[in-house]
Amino acid sequence: MKSSTGPLQGMRVIELAHIMAGPVCGLMLADMGADVIKVEKPTGDDSRRFVPPEINGESAAYMMMNRNKRGIALNLKDPAAVEVLHRLLMEADVVIENYRTGAMERLGLGYEELAKLNPRLIYCEISGFGRTGPYAERGGFDLIAQGMSGLMSITGEGPGRPPVKVAAPISDINAGILAAMGISAAYANMLKTGLGQKIDTSLFEAAIVQTYWQSAIAFATGDKPEPLGSAHPLNAPYQSFQTSDGWINVGAANQSNWLRFLEVIAAPELNDDPLFSSNLERIRNLPELVAVLDGYMSRDTTANWLAKMEKAKLPAGPVNDILQMHADPQARAREMVVEVDHPKAGKIETIGHPVKFSRTPASINHAAPLLGQHSRDVLGEAGYDSDQIETLINAQAVIAT
């Protein structure tokens, strides 16, 4: 296993999380150098069963979310396995958990109990709605969070159309990123003070923070923003247009870009039209603006328009599908598609780490673990001798590959 070069080298993380939000958090920390030990139930993280697709019998979804981690599988219905987990937590810097409210307390592993024994511990809880408030006991899912946050009311083709979910599980992913941000901040504080703390975030809050622009509009006007398709609520034109052979996004959001855009499409007279002469008027008359611009944009191909707009230094880009994004030279240059070796699936591609560090680069060194792949190693590091390890495995308190 390659050694990490990331800025969080030396951080030990116990990940008691499944499917997405918690594993995203662990993935971010692992990429940045933390030793993340994923604790799974005997049947494994539920995402192991998110098939198809699979590669040589391994879930593609599971492998995407759990690269760079080590894995141990514990049967927490067995007191011996709870004791193993307790010992791991005593030596950890961070624990990530997304169990239902009260589950960790019932195991004797709640924050209050652990903080007395390991005051440096950073205890991160990720839930559907947070651990306080009237919804604290509810389970949470990305779809529910997107709906309750208002996101689905502003996503879609336009007013009066059915609500649309953001296709990516944005509240799950964002909750994991927010949790990793909070852990990094708490870790910096712990290194200064010697004291850990509890961190609490949720899918609901992770979705709410995606509404900054629309909430600003609502706070200022008292009106509820409506869906605008690919358009922007504050700037125009800033959206997708259909070309003769595909789609292109154009960011002509300020007046100088608007004038450059008119030069590119050879329509300078549009700036003299009172309906389009300022951003305020373009926003007020967006349907009319789009109808006019569609006529111009349909006259040429996406590639030709992109070449003209790049020459004019006008922000623009193609609407890629996922395969096109994977092949994009900028995505490749920024190492956002990387290859790892998996013990069963072989060489697989995965998404790279999005933050670049000049002195301590993040790295993706190994693929997601098989179920219980590192159980023996982790138990040995926790002080169990070989006989004790085999006793735990034979009793099925611990699952090992």
Side-chain angles (χ1 to χ4, degrees), residues 18-19 46 50 100 127-129 138-148 165 169 171-172 203-204 207:
H18 59 280
I19 302 181
D46 288 345
F50 285 5
R100 285 286 190 122
S127 58
F129 296 94
R138 294 186 185 179
F141 294 90
D142 175 78
L143 172 66
I144 309 305
Q146 286 201 36
M148 294 180 67
K165 180 180 83 70
S171 62
D172 266 324
L203 276 62
F204 185 47

Side-chain angles (χ1 to χ4, degrees), residues 151-168:
L151 268 182
M152 289 177 64
S153 76
I154 56 173
T155 303
E157 293 181 346
R161 304 297 295 273
V164 175
K165 180 180 83 70
V166 178

Side-chain angles (χ1 to χ4, degrees), residues 225-236:
E226 300 281 1
L228 295 169
S230 62
H232 194 282
L234 300 173
N235 296 292

Side-chain angles (χ1 to χ4, degrees), residues 64 67 325-326 335-338 349-353 364:
M64 177 63 74
R67 82 301 175 85
M325 176 273 287
H326 288 168
E335 297 183 327
M336 287 308 296
V337 178
V338 296
E349 288 185 312
T350 188
I351 295 297
H353 190 74
I364 299 171

Side-chain angles (χ1 to χ4, degrees), residues 16 76 81-83 85-87 89-90 95 97 103-114 121 123:
L16 293 164
L76 294 178
V82 176
E83 174 54 34
L85 181 55
H86 186 274
R87 191 180 297 193
L89 292 173
M90 288 305 94
V95 59
E97 65 99 349
M104 290 289 282
E105 286 74 12
R106 287 190 291 274
L107 291 170
L109 300 173
Y111 173 70
E112 300 300 330
E113 295 93 334
L114 293 177
L121 184 66
Y123 193 105

Side-chain angles (χ1 to χ4, degrees), residues 13-343:
V13 180
I14 306 301
E15 182 189 298
L16 293 164
H18 59 280
I19 302 181
M20 195 148 211
V24 166
C25 178
L27 175 149
M28 291 287 159
L29 300 176
D31 286 358
M32 292 188 287
D35 177 19
V36 177
I37 299 172
K38 184 177 182 68
V39 178
E40 298 184 68
K41 58 189 176 183
T43 55
D45 188 312
D46 288 345
S47 65
R48 288 187 182 274
R49 291 172 288 283
F50 285 5
V51 292
E54 56 188 346
I55 304 173
N56 292 335
E58 293 295 303
S59 162
Y62 177 85
M63 290 191 290
M64 177 63 74
M65 304 313 307
N66 294 287
R67 82 301 175 85
N68 266 358
K69 303 172 187 177
R70 296 195 290 162
I72 183 173
L74 299 177
N75 176 11
L76 294 178
K77 295 179 180 178
D78 189 317
V82 176
E83 174 54 34
V84 169
L85 181 55
H86 186 274
R87 191 180 297 193
L88 294 177
L89 292 173
M90 288 305 94
E91 300 300 321
D93 298 301
V94 178
V95 59
I96 305 164
E97 65 99 349
N98 65 350
Y99 291 174
R100 285 286 190 122
T101 301
M104 290 289 282
E105 286 74 12
R106 287 190 291 274
L107 291 170
L109 300 173
Y111 173 70
E112 300 300 330
E113 295 93 334
L114 293 177
K116 293 174 186 176
L117 301 170
N118 181 3
R120 293 168 56 87
L121 184 66
I122 296 163
Y123 193 105
C124 180
E125 300 178 315
I126 307 175
S127 58
F129 296 94
R131 296 304 196 196
T132 59
Y135 305 156
E137 300 295 326
R138 294 186 185 179
F141 294 90
D142 175 78
L143 172 66
I144 309 305
Q146 286 201 36
M148 294 180 67
S149 68
L151 268 182
M152 289 177 64
S153 76
I154 56 173
T155 303
E157 293 181 346
R161 304 297 295 273
V164 175
K165 180 180 83 70
V166 178
I170 192 169
S171 62
D172 266 324
I173 295 170
N174 201 43
I177 295 170
L178 292 176
M181 177 188 72
I183 287 169
S184 298
Y187 188 64
N189 181 262
M190 184 272 286
L191 294 177
K192 290 188 292 185
T193 66
L195 296 174
Q197 58 188 297
K198 184 165 71 170
I199 297 168
D200 172 12
T201 193
S202 71
L203 276 62
F204 185 47
E205 288 154 303
I208 287 173
V209 297
Q210 301 293 326
T211 73
Y212 283 135
W213 282 146
Q214 287 80 8
S215 288
I217 293 167
F219 288 143
T221 66
D223 297 328
K224 61 178 184 181
E226 300 281 1
L228 295 169
S230 62
H232 194 282
L234 300 173
N235 296 292
Y238 188 92
Q239 65 183 85
S240 301
F241 292 99
Q242 192 164 14
T243 66
S244 64
D245 66 348
W247 291 85
I248 185 173
N249 281 326
V250 178
N254 58 41
Q255 196 65 13
S256 61
N257 282 338
W258 164 246
L259 294 175
R260 281 203 291 274
F261 179 53
L262 295 183
E263 290 177 10
V264 169
I265 66 173
E269 69 280 1
L270 292 182
N271 195 52
D272 298 325
D273 190 321
L275 294 178
F276 311 136
S277 59
S278 70
N279 184 67
L280 175 62
E281 294 303 326
R282 293 192 292 275
I283 287 288
R284 284 176 173 170
N285 300 290
L286 187 60
E288 293 83 356
L289 175 67
V290 171
V292 170
L293 295 181
D294 276 341
Y296 284 91
M297 299 303 296
S298 62
R299 297 174 184 174
D300 210 339
T301 66
T302 297
N304 287 343
W305 281 127
L306 285 172
K308 294 174 185 178
M309 291 182 190
E310 184 170 352
K311 185 177 180 180
K313 300 188 183 305
L314 181 69
V319 179
N320 285 336
D321 61 34
I322 299 298
L323 293 176
Q324 290 170 325
M325 176 273 287
H326 288 168
D328 190 286
Q330 184 67 12
R332 294 283 171 168
R334 295 290 288 176
E335 297 183 327
M336 287 308 296
V337 178
V338 296
E339 191 175 77
V340 292
D341 287 310
H342 188 275

